[in-house]
Amino acid sequence: MTSILTNTSAMAALSTLRGINSDLADTQDRVSSGYKVAKASDNVAYWSISTTMNSDNKAINAAQDALGVGAAKVDTAYSAIDSAIDVVDEIKAKLVTASESSTDKEQIQLEITKLQEQLSAVSQAASFSGENWTVAGADASNAVVVDGFIRNSDGTVKVTTAEFAIASYAMFGSISATGVGTGGILGDVMTIALTSTMTQGQIDSYLATVESALSSLTDAGAALGALTTRIDMQDDYASTLSDAIETGVSRLVDADMEEESAKLSALQTQQQLAVQSLSIANSSSQNILQLFQN
């Protein structure tokens, strides 16, 4: 039966066209945005996971930036320690020279004094971002470097750190207002003062002081070297971890562009056919007029 009031064929064609247009709009959104899960309504579980992991990834990247700052501080302190070792080696050589009885010990002391001043200058200049790891200062707390960000199994988060014991490895305990270092690893080295009447026993005592300082400087350099290795390894790991998280999130929420482009072409064809079908269904009512014209 054909009715001029209700066109069931047109209704079916229109319903089909609406469904195709809805699918086409969704596919176009995926193609334009690159996401198959762009909002919570697309997939609640995947959207929740991706939101959390993207947030964690930003924190990891921030920790990686902090690692760069920490690495600069370590490198600055290590450069000072390395330079100090060279200077102390020179003082050691001067003391060995002074062991020769015919040498002018007071002239040698003039050179040693300049080397001592150099030690103070090296330590005083070893500052990065307001921190100087070569001077213990009044508050000799450990230096802390942020080296990571982790999420525990219970959902809580934690920032991990690496520490450097400034009190144990500082070149000086403090720097006076006149720029002279005192205390610390090199405090005793700064007290070396040769005179023309100095005995070999006293020089040997100074040599023992220098050897002790060199040993302590070597330990400090080793500690900084170990910290540098840890920071470098953590930096590499943070980069790898960040890439892994991005890849994992991508698998959850990114659209397959090959699949979506193929689906888009198919839906566009279906849309054209549905429009044509609706046009045919609407024309059937007009054909009834021919019955009355005859």
Side-chain angles (χ1 to χ4, degrees), residues 33-255:
S33 68
Y35 290 108
K36 67 180 178 182
V37 181
K39 52 187 180 296
S41 59
D42 294 333
N43 187 309
V44 174
Y46 285 178
W47 178 85
S48 177
I49 293 172
S50 65
T51 300
T52 301
M53 295 311 297
N54 281 329
S55 176
D56 286 357
N57 202 25
K58 289 180 180 179
I60 290 172
N61 290 332
Q64 194 171 9
D65 292 339
L67 277 174
V69 176
K73 294 176 182 178
V74 173
D75 290 344
T76 300
Y78 181 81
S79 296
I81 294 293
D82 193 44
S83 296
I85 289 175
D86 291 339
V87 175
V88 174
D89 279 341
E90 286 294 322
I91 293 176
K92 178 181 176 180
K94 299 303 178 184
L95 290 174
V96 172
T97 301
S99 297
E100 170 59 44
S101 59
S102 61
T103 57
D104 188 338
K105 294 178 178 58
E106 292 183 352
Q107 291 298 320
I108 294 175
Q109 178 56 40
L110 292 176
E111 297 180 278
I112 291 177
T113 298
K114 293 302 180 184
L115 293 171
Q116 290 168 329
E117 292 174 357
Q118 179 62 20
L119 288 174
S120 296
V122 166
S123 179
Q124 198 170 15
S127 177
F128 184 89
S129 188
E131 291 188 29
N132 191 328
W133 291 8
T134 66
V135 181
D139 182 17
S141 57
N142 290 352
V144 178
V145 177
V146 174
D147 69 350
F149 171 88
I150 60 175
R151 180 175 293 277
N152 298 317
S153 58
D154 61 357
T156 59
V157 297
K158 178 182 178 182
V159 174
T160 60
T161 59
E163 295 186 351
F164 178 74
I166 295 180
S168 300
Y169 299 117
M171 290 167 54
F172 294 110
S174 63
I175 302 291
S176 69
T178 57
V180 178
T182 58
I185 291 174
L186 299 177
D188 291 339
V189 175
M190 299 297 288
T191 64
I192 293 176
L194 295 177
T195 64
S196 58
T197 59
M198 188 149 291
T199 65
Q200 185 59 45
Q202 291 172 311
I203 295 175
D204 289 342
S205 177
Y206 283 154
L207 281 170
T209 296
V210 169
E211 284 295 334
S212 177
L214 281 173
S215 177
S216 297
L217 287 173
T218 301
D219 290 342
L224 289 169
L227 186 55
T228 297
T229 300
R230 177 176 176 179
I231 289 174
D232 290 343
M233 292 177 65
Q234 188 67 23
D235 187 47
D236 291 341
Y237 173 67
S239 296
T240 303
L241 181 60
S242 179
D243 291 344
I245 290 176
E246 287 185 8
T247 301
V249 171
S250 173
R251 290 172 178 169
L252 295 178
V253 302
D254 287 359

